């Protein structure tokens, strides 16, 4: 499947910086993903238009929210979204991609090597285990999270990885307001605050996407994130 021409038009329409090399590398990644998907079930989205809008455009809408040279961690990276498209589009970013599912991190590692992505680290781990390792705790400028969990859970997962004044960028759909209403305690306990919400309308698929942007202002207690899956089962 070749998506270069269509993707180039879409990124231009939505004011996402790209060039021929970026689009070519995303197309190469897409072919790697579709081939791997035949045997490993990485994604149910395989039709060309859906791939372009629901995977690549969706991932890259966050590009303008991330400053050059940022140290970024993608929590729950799945098959490499949004981390790989973001890295391809801005090679100055230093990425860590984390997922607990081995088949997904194996693919992301494979794609990273095939695409020669430097400063891109892939880790197979539970988030709540990795957060207590000193080389990762409070070491990142930005956390990105897409289709991982509800907002209170994401905040608890993310805050331990962030430096003070670091940023969480949460990719969300139409129910984002309901999640915000449930997040007051998590924001308070984890010294975080919602500082902005960006809205994008993707007319080709008649969907809106929202980016909830959260700042962490102070160091948090070492008891977070809680173990035994409590961030999901018993959100703050």
């Amino acid at each position: 499947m070749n998506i270069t021409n269509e993707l180039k038009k879409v990124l231009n329409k939505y004011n996402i910086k790209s060039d021929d090399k970026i689009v070519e590398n995303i197309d190469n990644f897409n072919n790697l993903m579709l081939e791997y998907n035949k045997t490993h079930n990485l994604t149910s989205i395989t039709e060309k238009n859906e791939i372009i809008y629901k995977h690549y455009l969706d991932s890259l809408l966050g590009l303008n929210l991330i400053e050059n040279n940022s140290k970024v961690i993608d929590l729950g990276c799945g098959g490499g979204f949004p981390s790989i498209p973001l890295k391809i589009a801005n090679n100055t970013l230093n990425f860590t991609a984390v997922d607990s599912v081995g088949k997904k991190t194996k693919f992301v590692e494979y794609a990273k090597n095939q695409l020669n992505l430097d400063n891109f680290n892939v880790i197979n781990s539970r988030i709540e285990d990795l957060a207590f390792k000193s080389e990762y705790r409070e070491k990142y400028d930005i956390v990105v999270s897409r289709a991982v969990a509800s907002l209170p859970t994401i905040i608890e997962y993310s805050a331990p990885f962030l430096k003070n004044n670091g940023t969480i960028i949460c990719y969300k759909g139409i129910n984002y307001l309901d999640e915000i209403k449930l997040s007051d305690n998590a924001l308070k306990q984890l010294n975080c605050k919602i500082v902005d919400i960006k809205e994008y309308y993707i007319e080709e698929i008649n969907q809106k996407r929202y980016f909830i942007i959260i700042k962490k202002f102070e160091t948090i207690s070492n008891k977070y994130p809680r173990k035994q899956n409590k961030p999901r089962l018993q959100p703050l």
Side-chain angles (χ1 to χ4, degrees):
M1 179 189 294
N2 187 304
I3 62 171
T4 54
N5 291 334
E6 296 92 334
L7 184 61
K8 194 179 299 184
K9 292 175 185 175
V10 168
L11 297 183
N12 183 62
K13 175 179 177 178
Y14 287 89
N15 298 312
I16 296 170
K17 176 188 168 187
S18 67
D19 56 31
D20 288 346
K21 184 64 175 176
I22 288 170
V23 173
E24 178 185 341
N25 278 339
I26 291 175
D27 184 56
N28 290 337
F29 170 66
N30 187 61
N31 287 323
L32 292 173
M33 180 191 69
L34 291 178
E35 186 62 30
Y36 204 89
N37 197 58
K38 291 177 182 177
T39 54
H40 292 82
N41 191 27
L42 293 170
T43 179
S44 60
I45 298 173
T46 56
E47 190 272 325
K48 182 184 278 193
N49 270 359
E50 282 201 322
I51 283 176
I52 289 173
Y53 291 105
K54 293 184 179 180
H55 274 331
Y56 298 109
L57 175 61
D58 189 65
S59 293
L60 291 170
L61 284 172
L63 184 65
N64 295 332
L65 304 175
I66 303 174
E67 293 185 4
N68 287 351
N69 301 301
S70 293
K71 190 172 183 181
V72 188
I73 187 166
D74 180 2
L75 297 180
C77 66
F81 299 100
S83 49
I84 287 186
L86 288 172
K87 174 64 177 175
I88 289 172
N90 185 348
N91 193 44
T92 74
L93 302 179
N94 187 325
F95 252 103
T96 300
V98 181
D99 205 283
S100 63
V101 180
K103 71 177 180 181
K104 294 180 179 178
T105 53
K106 284 179 182 176
F107 167 70
V108 176
E109 182 74 33
Y110 168 71
K112 163 203 158 177
N113 292 332
Q114 291 295 308
L115 298 168
N116 296 312
L117 300 179
D118 57 359
N119 294 317
F120 194 101
N121 188 26
V122 185
I123 302 174
N124 177 221
S125 173
R126 292 181 64 84
I127 294 167
E128 50 266 58
D129 294 333
L130 194 69
F132 288 98
K133 295 186 177 181
S134 60
E135 61 265 44
Y136 303 106
R137 193 173 183 91
E138 298 192 324
K139 293 297 192 291
Y140 292 88
D141 303 303
I142 294 171
V143 173
V144 292
S145 178
R146 177 180 180 264
V148 172
S150 67
L151 191 58
T153 302
I154 289 169
I155 295 168
E156 184 170 354
Y157 280 158
S158 301
F161 290 95
L162 286 174
K163 303 172 185 176
N164 290 347
N165 296 310
T167 303
I168 308 169
I169 299 174
C170 302
Y171 289 62
K172 287 294 176 183
I174 58 173
N175 296 320
Y176 77 103
L177 286 174
D178 295 332
E179 296 190 36
I180 287 174
K181 290 175 184 176
L182 297 172
S183 298
D184 284 348
N185 189 48
L187 291 165
K188 181 179 178 181
Q189 294 297 323
L190 296 158
N191 300 328
C192 291
K193 181 180 179 181
I194 296 172
V195 295
D196 202 359
I197 299 171
K198 302 288 188 185
E199 175 185 313
Y200 297 90
Y201 175 60
I202 305 174
E203 64 176 338
E204 291 86 355
I205 56 174
N206 191 28
Q207 287 186 7
K208 288 184 177 180
R209 291 295 278 158
Y210 302 88
F211 290 82
I212 304 173
I213 302 167
I214 299 168
K215 281 277 187 184
K216 174 192 170 184
F217 292 102
E218 297 177 22
T219 299
I220 64 171
S221 168
N222 283 331
K223 68 182 181 182
Y224 298 115
R226 294 165 295 157
K227 298 277 189 140
Q228 299 174 324
N229 211 23
K230 286 184 179 178
R232 286 183 184 271
L233 299 176
Q234 301 171 27
L236 291 172

